[in-house]
C-alpha cells in the first residue's frame, strides 16, 4: 500500500493536492476532522465518546482518534493506500499510527510537507475567508496563531519521519501542477515494488 502523511500549514494547498493524488493513485483521504464528524453523525461508540469530550471542552485523546483511523482502515481494505491529512501531529501519535498500520500489514510510505512562508499563508487565507465563511480565515491574528501551532507541532513529527528517511519538504508556492508533479516523483520512489511493477506493465501494454 502507498500511505502518505501530507502536511502543510493552513492555506498551503493540501486540499487541492489531495484531490489530485486521490485520482492518480486511488488513495483514500483520511482527515481526522472529517472522521470525527462522521463518527459523531453515525452515533458510533467512538463518536459518542468524542462528542462528550468535545462538549466538555476537552481534547479528544489519541486512542479515540487512532480508533477512528483503525475503523477507516477496516472499511477501506481494498484501497491502494491512504492520505493522512494533518495527522499525526505529535511523535506519540506517529508511533501509534506505525503500530496500527503494522497490524494491517502496511506502513507509512513517506511524509511530504508543503512549505509556504507565513505572509503568503496570511494573504491566501484572508482571500479564502471572503468566500469560505470560516471565521478563522478572516482574522489575521488567528491565522498567525494557527501557523505557529502548526510549525511547533510539525517540527517534532518531521524529525521522527526524517529518522526513517521518509520526510520530504517541498516549496508550496508555485503552479499547482508543478507541485503535484514533485509530490508524484516522491511517491513513485516510495511505492511498493509490486505497485511499481504493475504500473510499469500497464505503461508497456499501453505503449
Amino acid at each position: 500500500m502507498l500511505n502518505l502523511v501530507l502536511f502543510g500549514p493552513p492555506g498551503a494547498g493540501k486540499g487541492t493536492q489531495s484531490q489530485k493524488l486521490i485520482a492518480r493513485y486511488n488513495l483514500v483521504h483520511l482527515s481526522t476532522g472529517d472522521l470525527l464528524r462522521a463518527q459523531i453523525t453515525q452515533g458510533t461508540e467512538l463518536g459518542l465518546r468524542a462528542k462528550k469530550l468535545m462538549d466538555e471542552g476537552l481534547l479528544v485523546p489519541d486512542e479515540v482518534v487512532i480508533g477512528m483511523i483503525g475503523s477507516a482502515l477496516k472499511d477501506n481494505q481494498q484501497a491502494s493506500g491512504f492520505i493522512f491529512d494533518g495527522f499525526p501531529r505529535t511523535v506519540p501519535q506517529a508511533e501509534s499510527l506505525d503500530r496500527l498500520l503494522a497490524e494491517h500489514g502496511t506502513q507509512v510510505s513517506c511524509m511530504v510537507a508543503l512549505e509556504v512562508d507565513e505572509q503568503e499563508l496570511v494573504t491566501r487565507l484572508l482571500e479564502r475567508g471572503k468566500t469560505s465563511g470560516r471565521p478563522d480565515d478572516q482574522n489575521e491574528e488567528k491565522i498567525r496563531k494557527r501557523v505557529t501551532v502548526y510549525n511547533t507541532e510539525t517540527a517534532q513529527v518531521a524529525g521522527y519521519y526524517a529518522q526513517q528517511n521518509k520526510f520530504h519538504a517541498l516549496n508550496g508556492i508555485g503552479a499547482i501542477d508543478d507541485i503535484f508533479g514533485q509530490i508524484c516523483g516522491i511517491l513513485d520512489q516510495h511505492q511498493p515494488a509490486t505497485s511499481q511493477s504493475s504500473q510499469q506493465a500497464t505503461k508497456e501494454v499501453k505503449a
Side-chain angles (χ1 to χ4, degrees), residues 173-188:
I173 299 178
I176 291 173
D177 286 342
D178 288 346
I179 296 170
F180 175 65
Q182 293 178 60
I183 298 175
C184 290
I186 293 169
L187 292 185
D188 290 344

Side-chain angles (χ1 to χ4, degrees), residues 19-194:
Q19 292 307 309
K20 294 173 72 66
L21 292 167
I22 288 166
R24 174 160 179 161
Y25 294 99
N26 189 32
L27 304 178
V28 173
H29 183 244
L30 293 184
S31 162
T32 51
D34 291 343
L35 288 176
L36 279 168
R37 286 186 286 272
Q39 294 279 343
I40 290 171
T41 299
Q42 294 167 16
T44 66
E45 182 180 345
L46 285 171
L48 293 173
R49 184 179 173 191
K51 186 177 187 304
K52 183 176 185 296
L53 292 167
M54 293 165 69
D55 288 346
E56 294 173 358
L58 301 174
L59 291 174
V60 178
D62 289 353
E63 72 244 26
V64 174
V65 178
I66 285 291
M68 292 180 178
I69 292 175
S71 294
L73 294 178
K74 291 177 183 177
D75 292 341
N76 294 278
Q77 295 185 33
Q78 303 306 313
S80 299
F82 297 86
I83 296 178
F84 297 95
D85 184 350
F87 183 90
R89 289 188 176 277
T90 65
V91 171
Q93 287 179 355
E95 293 171 341
S96 294
L97 181 59
D98 277 352
R99 289 192 292 269
L100 176 64
L101 291 175
E103 291 173 6
H104 289 265
T106 186
Q107 63 181 337
V108 168
S109 304
C110 61
M111 173 185 181
V112 174
L114 299 177
E115 298 184 336
V116 180
D117 68 78
E118 185 171 322
Q119 190 52 52
E120 173 66 18
L121 293 170
V122 171
T123 300
R124 288 185 183 183
L125 290 173
L126 287 174
E127 185 62 31
R128 188 174 80 179
K130 295 177 182 178
T131 56
S132 71
R134 290 177 50 172
D136 55 349
D137 282 349
Q138 300 168 18
N139 182 294
E140 182 171 338
E141 183 179 350
K142 289 182 179 179
I143 290 172
R144 292 188 184 277
K145 184 175 181 179
R146 287 161 64 196
V147 174
T148 298
V149 170
Y150 164 81
N151 288 332
T152 302
E153 292 175 338
T154 309
Q156 296 180 355
V157 180
Y160 176 82
Y161 287 113
Q163 289 179 345
Q164 300 180 14
N165 295 318
K166 293 179 179 180
F167 175 74
H168 303 269
L170 290 179
N171 185 355
I173 299 178
I176 291 173
D177 286 342
D178 288 346
I179 296 170
F180 175 65
Q182 293 178 60
I183 298 175
C184 290
I186 293 169
L187 292 185
D188 290 344
Q189 293 175 25
H190 288 277
Q191 279 206 88
T194 52

